[in-house]
Amino acid sequence: QQQVKQSPQSLIVQKGGISIINCAYENTAFDYFPWYQQFPGKGPALLIAIRPDVSEKKEGRFTISFNKSAKQFSLHIMDSQPGDSATYFCAASWSILTGGGNKLTFGTGTQLKVEL
Amino acid sequence: DVKVTQSSRYLVKRTGEKVFLECVQDMDHENMFWYRQDPGLGLRLIYFSYDVKMKEKGDIPEGYSVSREKKERFSLILESASTNQTSMYLCASSLSTSGNTIYFGEGSWLTVV
């Protein structure tokens, strides 16, 4: 059972364009939604994260949009650069108080390529 | 800076061999994790440990076991390696509560022939 569904599987964007990656979740107990970025040969690293009490969070060129009623969240990369070419994973977890601890459930990943 | 170190980056093992993957973190984190990463499947949790000698099965524990004798060290054990365990294995650590950043190591590429 895949609890976090991510799309698209791959994405090609022109330099300066907007990259958009979408995720949908099923477990309404999830209360923390991070995005991880992974470069080839490296482990994933936290990029940006959001809690469901806000609908949007922005850090530089990266924005998470969150729709609690639709159980969806997305990553927007503005002014995409070749250096943004990487694999992006959405994830979700729930509070230790309801038994989730800090275990992340990951989406299947999106390979982003930003072309010149 | 948090550092999660996986001692073996690339391993080639034979079917049936016992395989140990070692992981050390230097930030006194309570939680440690082993994930497996496969193309098209994302990262899947194998085992999770929230304290020394404590462990909890993840989504795909079959064929794996773990050991956490010291807080900083978490080992993944393949009792009898099989070809379908060829994969990249990622160790990670974090503080205990939800919402704390999970820090990953650089991964161990295991090929079972």
Side-chain angles (χ1 to χ4, degrees):
Chain A
Q1 180 190 4
Q2 187 183 351
Q3 293 198 60
V4 180
K5 294 184 179 180
Q6 182 172 349
S7 63
Q9 189 173 357
S10 63
L11 182 61
I12 299 174
V13 173
Q14 296 299 308
K15 181 184 175 186
I18 302 173
S19 304
I20 302 174
I21 305 170
N22 300 298
C23 283
Y25 62 96
E26 298 168 5
N27 188 343
T28 55
F30 287 146
D31 61 2
Y32 174 64
F33 301 90
W35 284 88
Y36 277 75
Q37 179 188 55
Q38 184 181 31
F39 293 105
K42 300 292 186 182
L46 179 67
L47 182 64
I48 186 172
I50 196 168
R51 293 252 186 214
D53 51 346
V54 297
S55 60
E56 186 175 283
K57 183 174 182 180
K58 185 176 181 179
E59 290 183 3
R61 296 184 294 109
F62 301 91
T63 300
I64 299 179
S65 296
F66 186 81
N67 185 329
K68 189 174 182 178
S69 60
K71 294 188 287 184
Q72 295 175 346
F73 59 111
S74 59
L75 176 69
H76 296 235
I77 306 174
M78 310 300 288
D79 187 26
S80 298
Q81 299 296 312
D84 297 330
S85 297
T87 300
Y88 293 81
F89 293 96
C90 62
S93 70
W94 70 99
S95 168
I96 194 170
L97 295 177
T98 55
N102 197 27
K103 293 177 289 183
L104 287 175
T105 298
F106 283 87
T108 51
T110 297
Q111 278 195 309
L112 171 65
K113 183 177 181 182
V114 181
E115 294 184 333
L116 293 168
Chain B
D1 267 0
V2 174
K3 190 153 188 181
V4 178
T5 303
Q6 295 181 233
S7 55
S8 302
R9 290 298 312 275
Y10 302 95
L11 305 94
V12 180
K13 298 292 182 180
R14 294 192 182 278
T15 300
E17 274 193 83
K18 191 169 186 175
V19 181
F20 292 87
L21 298 180
E22 305 287 344
C23 175
V24 176
Q25 51 96 1
D26 66 358
M27 280 301 291
D28 202 35
H29 285 164
E30 296 89 2
N31 291 353
M32 294 191 75
F33 311 82
W34 276 104
Y35 282 89
R36 171 176 171 163
Q37 182 175 3
D38 298 288
L41 297 177
L43 281 72
R44 293 178 292 167
L45 182 64
I46 304 171
Y47 265 99
F48 160 62
S49 170
Y50 49 91
D51 202 350
V52 175
K53 297 190 187 293
M54 306 304 286
K55 62 184 179 184
E56 189 174 306
K57 292 180 179 179
D59 299 318
I60 52 164
E62 297 79 18
Y64 304 95
S65 63
V66 291
S67 172
R68 192 159 179 208
E69 296 296 318
K70 293 184 178 181
K71 190 175 186 179
E72 67 272 18
R73 189 178 297 270
F74 192 36
S75 302
L76 180 69
I77 303 155
L78 288 68
E79 294 289 341
S80 177
S82 64
T83 55
N84 63 10
Q85 292 178 310
T86 292
S87 186
M88 167 128 104
Y89 292 88
L90 286 160
C91 176
S93 73
S94 78
L95 292 170
S96 61
T97 50
S98 175
N100 282 292
T101 300
I102 293 180
Y103 296 90
F104 284 87
E106 296 202 321
S108 298
W109 286 95
L110 172 65
T111 301
V112 182
V113 298

